[in-house]
Amino acid sequence: MGTFSVWHWLIVLVIVLIFFGRGKIPDLMGDVAKGIKSFKKGMADDDAPADNGKTVDGRTVDHKAEETK
């Protein structure tokens, strides 16, 4: 009673095919694959150093509140 048999899974598969049809499932998987590729590309772009010709100055500014009177 707590486990699903092969017949249960076949019935679930038939219901899914009725709801989504044969053509929509491959389209859905293609969209998921495109999303994963886009996510990976975005993560790779974040890890890449931003080298667009601008240099960043590494100096820091020391601020003392008493001197701003």
Side-chain angles (χ1 to χ4, degrees):
M1 187 169 186
T3 61
F4 292 107
S5 68
V6 174
W7 292 109
H8 289 104
W9 291 115
L10 287 176
I11 292 171
V12 170
L13 178 65
V14 168
I15 292 172
V16 167
L17 286 176
I18 289 171
F19 282 139
F20 293 109
R22 278 186 40 193
K24 289 186 180 179
I25 293 175
D27 293 340
L28 181 66
M29 291 297 113
D31 292 341
V32 169
K34 287 178 187 176
I36 292 171
K37 286 180 185 178
S38 176
F39 178 76
K40 286 182 179 181
K41 182 181 177 192
M43 292 300 290
D45 289 345
D46 287 344
D47 291 340
D51 186 26
N52 53 4
K54 296 179 182 176
T55 58
V56 177
D57 192 9
R59 293 182 280 170
T60 59
V61 176
D62 292 328
H63 175 73
K64 295 182 182 175
E66 298 87 36
E67 296 177 0
T68 59
K69 292 183 182 180

